[in-house]
Amino acid sequence: MSSRFPLFRKRDLLIFLLAAVLAGAGFLQWLPKSGAPVAVIEQDGKEIRRVELSSIPQPETLVLDGEISVTILLEPGQVSIIHSDCPDQICVNTGTLTRPGQSAVCLPARVSVRIVGENNSGIDGMTG
Amino acid sequence: MKSSAKFVAFTGILAALAVVLSLLENLLPPVPGMPPGAKLGLSNIVSMYAAGCVGFFPAMAISLVKGLFAFLTRGITAGLMSTAGGLFSTLIVWLLLKKLRFGLLGASAAGALAHNAAQLMIACLLTSSAVLYYAPILVLLGTASGILTGLALGVLLPPLEKLQRR
Amino acid sequence: MNKNIAPSSIKKWTAVAGAVVILLAAILASMVLYPQSSQGYEATTWAMGSYIQQTLYGSSAEEAATQASSAINELENLISWRVAGSDIEKLNSAAGTDWLELDEHTIDVLEQALSVAEATDGAYDPTILPISSLWNFDSDEPTFPGDDKIQEFLPFVGYEFLRINTEDNTASLRNHGNGVDLGGIGKGAACDAALKVYKESGISGGIIAVGGSVGVYGEKPDGTDWRISVRDPDEDTQDGLGVLSLEEGCVSTSGSYEKTFTEGDNTYHHLLDAKTGYPAESGLVSVTVVHESGAISDALATACFILGLEDSLPVLKELGASALFIDEEHHITIAGDLEFEQISTNYTVSRQSL
């Protein structure tokens, strides 16, 4: 033996096994989480309702009363503002929301509907 | 190694070598796409040699000197990360190599992993836990650089040991 | 060899297990902590007449979000002409009298407003209030004021009436009847205020959207660029026109589709040309401007919409901005160095260097 320290011993495999397990566990965290899209409905900045989109059994309308009344339609897999007493109707024109990151806002009524969840589209914000 | 003066001088030379190697490594241009903290770990060759062939306390002293140098040249964060990483990895390498008789490859890979783990902990405490996103990549890169260091030592150790015996 | 291992091999293997457990614990702890940090802290508030959404990453995210939102409220209470007792309300009331001492932040915003007004020769004009209050786009019922009214009040609009002194933080409006409306710059200024909070808070990264103005700071947990979807002026769906990738800075959009009303045969939008007193017609549908300052990007978006593509280019170059123009012919022009990924296929794209 030229050296007191052999290059490799069988027990070294233990270290490599440990490294593989750690790396594997870490990469698992990177996978998209199963977090299903959730619709969050807020009025005046306060959360009114939070519902998992896929778990809505049948169409349901939600009427938010206030100075300006807003009607929200919750359907399996999607949500939309279908009526608002506001003058601009921007929220109604926004259409149907289906994916995380999307939102419909009624400024005059201070009502917002948005979908949160694992953001597959990779969009962080919106301008316009 | 008979006289203690010789021994201290030898440790000093090793410490200087470790500092020079880590300086050299910092001169290398950053590889695009690599996460922060991923390094070749050239100076780990020296720490490993010290832990294996010189002794536990000299090896820890060399890590401290290296950390101190990082403090001076790269600031508090880098200094803390280097010190913590160096001490922890030296401890692990010494334990595996001298006490548990692991091979060079295994000990060196474990040392690199320990270095990364300690650095990540410090980075997490000092900056934000966002750095942990890179943890799995660092584990893989750390193992790879550990294997390289181990191979390098496998080549360098026999002649070095002869030198030391004189 | 064997004699080295034999005597205390049990002890030694216990030590192995110890070392392995330490390593495992250290790195596993990091894995457990990781999901929280990548998720980001989200906060939704209302201010400046808009929906404000923040997504922040890092340990002090919640605190930073709260601080940013109070900074925006403070700013609104300084620069909104509708808020009684605000700096701008006082300045407007004192029009034609004396110089007023105002808050440093107000002066900052006024200074940025004037710099864009000067660079665009008044296409963006902070003194639009006499005309904008006639149209009253922010109310429930905007109305066409009639040509006579517009001609009557148009002479009161002109950024040269607004003078500021940055040394002693004073400002004045020259004539009675002048008025400042910072509606075209306020949302961008709000982004700046939030980004300033983020920088001081020690969060690792964050994004704020105030209406159509977006500001980004720092890094996302995965280190990739921030991706900002540009709204498709045509479609009600939310797929968007395309995606802008941004490392830092702010984006603002002015589009003629944002606030409109129809009276008789005419549809009017809110981007008023200070020169004519009427909604601007430059062949554009929307302009998105990227600049390191939110206030400048916001004001420039309005200015470029009014100037039109050709006249905007030198201004963008001068102020160090880049922009994306969408015209009525469904053509997108990207001016300057922007990373844009097209999504909607209803548009043609060309690039224009500055």
Side-chain angles (χ1 to χ4, degrees):
Chain A
M1 275 291 150
S2 62
S3 170
R4 282 182 287 158
F5 303 107
L7 192 59
F8 180 78
R9 282 165 157 270
K10 267 200 192 122
R11 61 186 70 168
D12 285 8
L13 287 174
L14 225 97
I15 300 292
F16 297 122
L17 191 74
L18 173 72
V21 168
L22 282 176
F27 281 117
L28 276 184
Q29 301 283 355
W30 286 14
L31 294 178
K33 276 160 239 64
S34 56
V38 171
V40 178
I41 297 164
E42 287 174 328
Q43 190 175 27
D44 281 330
K46 283 192 284 290
E47 193 172 303
I48 301 291
R49 180 107 180 248
R50 178 180 282 265
V51 60
E52 199 174 302
L53 279 181
S54 56
S55 72
I56 303 169
Q58 60 214 15
E60 174 196 340
T61 54
L62 177 68
V63 180
L64 296 179
D65 286 320
E67 239 172 272
I68 295 166
S69 164
V70 175
T71 308
I72 295 159
L73 176 64
L74 295 152
E75 293 166 281
Q78 59 186 53
V79 57
S80 51
I81 297 184
I82 51 168
H83 175 82
S84 168
D85 289 338
C86 65
D88 56 30
Q89 297 292 305
I90 290 171
C91 53
V92 176
N93 291 331
T94 303
T96 305
L97 317 179
T98 54
R99 286 202 311 273
Q102 297 180 333
S103 64
V105 178
C106 184
L107 269 177
R110 293 162 78 85
V111 165
S112 79
V113 181
R114 64 203 163 93
I115 301 186
V116 298
E118 190 56 30
N119 195 341
N120 295 322
S121 61
I123 297 298
D124 300 302
M126 187 146 200
T127 181
Chain B
M1 201 88 18
K2 276 156 204 164
S3 91
S4 71
K6 231 176 166 183
F7 178 77
V8 169
F10 189 60
T11 308
I13 289 170
L14 286 181
L17 189 60
V19 167
V20 168
L21 283 177
S22 63
L23 277 180
L24 269 180
E25 197 174 84
N26 282 328
L27 288 180
L28 295 176
V31 182
M34 283 288 135
K39 282 224 196 96
L40 207 49
L42 282 177
S43 62
N44 289 345
I45 299 180
V46 179
S47 341
M48 267 195 80
Y49 169 72
C53 300
V54 185
F56 177 69
F57 288 106
M60 291 303 256
I62 288 167
S63 293
L64 266 181
V65 169
K66 215 177 86 185
L68 208 69
F69 209 77
F71 258 116
L72 293 176
T73 53
R74 288 184 292 141
I76 295 174
T77 313
L80 274 177
M81 279 169 60
S82 171
T83 309
L87 290 180
F88 189 45
S89 82
T90 304
L91 175 74
I92 293 287
V93 165
W94 177 79
L95 203 68
L96 294 190
L97 213 54
K98 295 287 280 187
K99 293 287 147 190
L100 302 167
R101 309 198 61 79
F102 272 75
L104 284 174
L105 289 181
S108 151
L113 286 179
H115 204 279
N116 282 341
Q119 276 192 331
L120 268 182
M121 288 297 113
I122 296 287
C124 194
L125 289 175
L126 289 185
T127 59
S128 84
S129 49
V131 293
L132 297 173
Y133 190 84
Y134 299 114
I137 294 189
L138 285 180
V139 168
L140 288 186
L141 291 175
T143 311
S145 74
I147 290 174
L148 281 179
T149 313
L151 285 175
L153 264 177
V155 175
L156 290 175
L157 261 186
L160 276 175
E161 278 181 313
K162 264 184 217 156
L163 201 76
Q164 204 183 358
R165 266 181 224 120
R166 268 178 215 164
Chain C
M1 281 288 214
N2 277 342
K3 66 181 178 205
N4 285 334
I5 309 169
S8 53
S9 72
I10 296 173
K11 254 189 195 169
K12 281 176 180 171
W13 279 104
T14 322
V16 178
V20 164
V21 164
I22 292 173
L23 252 171
L24 196 78
I27 304 183
L28 272 188
S30 66
M31 307 293 159
V32 177
L33 281 165
Y34 154 72
Q36 291 175 346
S37 60
S38 80
Q39 205 64 46
Y41 174 79
E42 283 190 33
T44 312
T45 45
W46 301 79
M48 300 240 168
S50 342
Y51 172 71
I52 299 177
Q53 194 157 5
Q54 307 180 63
T55 305
L56 308 183
Y57 302 94
S59 43
S60 48
E62 190 169 349
E63 201 187 322
T66 316
Q67 278 176 15
S69 106
S70 53
I72 291 171
N73 286 331
E74 270 169 43
L75 184 70
E76 183 177 16
N77 288 333
L78 287 174
I79 67 167
S80 168
W81 64 270
R82 290 181 204 82
V83 173
S86 77
D87 274 0
I88 298 302
E89 194 254 359
K90 284 192 272 184
L91 180 65
N92 290 345
S93 311
T97 61
D98 208 355
W99 288 72
L100 272 187
E101 192 177 338
L102 303 175
D103 192 279
E104 199 181 338
H105 291 111
T106 314
I107 297 290
D108 277 352
V109 179
L110 285 175
E111 194 183 1
Q112 286 172 309
L114 278 180
S115 75
V116 177
E118 275 157 19
T120 61
D121 199 18
Y124 165 77
D125 195 322
T127 64
I128 190 87
L129 184 65
I131 291 294
S132 64
S133 58
L134 282 182
W135 288 86
N136 212 357
F137 271 96
D138 289 324
S139 73
D140 291 349
E141 279 164 30
T143 46
F144 174 56
D147 196 43
D148 293 347
K149 274 268 160 94
I150 291 171
Q151 296 314 326
E152 186 188 336
F153 285 94
L154 200 53
F156 292 103
V157 176
Y159 64 89
E160 63 278 4
F161 297 135
L162 170 64
R163 292 162 301 173
I164 56 172
N165 184 339
T166 50
E167 265 156 41
D168 57 2
N169 290 339
T170 55
S172 89
L173 283 166
R174 193 184 295 161
N175 303 320
H176 184 71
N178 295 148
V180 169
D181 177 354
L182 294 177
I185 198 170
K187 288 170 186 148
C191 289
D192 290 338
L195 294 188
K196 194 166 161 246
V197 170
Y198 299 164
K199 274 175 200 141
E200 287 158 6
S201 71
I203 61 168
S204 58
I207 181 166
I208 179 160
V210 182
S213 282
V214 178
V216 303
Y217 163 75
E219 277 207 343
K220 284 200 288 180
D222 61 2
T224 59
D225 280 354
W226 301 91
R227 288 164 60 80
I228 295 150
S229 164
V230 180
R231 187 155 282 162
D232 183 343
D234 264 1
E235 299 288 325
D236 289 342
T237 63
Q238 297 220 328
D239 290 331
L241 187 74
V243 179
L244 278 176
S245 294
L246 214 63
E247 220 174 293
E248 56 180 350
C250 296
V251 192
S252 298
T253 299
S254 281
S256 54
Y257 53 85
E258 287 171 67
K259 291 175 191 161
T260 59
F261 70 91
T262 305
E263 205 171 287
D265 294 335
N266 296 313
T267 295
Y268 303 98
H269 66 78
H270 74 297
L271 296 167
L272 298 169
D273 185 341
K275 296 269 168 17
T276 64
Y278 282 85
E281 280 173 40
S282 55
L284 295 173
V285 182
S286 122
V287 181
T288 300
V289 175
V290 178
H291 193 269
E292 73 186 311
S293 151
I296 305 277
S297 78
D298 198 1
L300 261 184
T302 309
C304 290
F305 185 96
I306 289 159
L307 285 172
L309 176 60
E310 284 299 312
D311 295 338
S312 294
L313 300 176
V315 178
L316 292 169
K317 189 181 162 93
E318 185 191 334
L319 295 180
S322 20
L324 187 146
F325 297 81
I326 305 167
D327 68 18
E328 288 163 350
E329 267 79 53
H330 286 82
H331 185 75
I332 301 170
T333 308
I334 299 166
D337 193 19
L338 282 183
E339 211 176 302
F340 179 73
E341 177 193 322
Q342 189 181 2
I343 290 176
S344 170
T345 49
N346 297 332
Y347 293 82
T348 52
V349 181
S350 67
R351 280 191 175 266
Q352 172 85 45
S353 62
L354 288 175

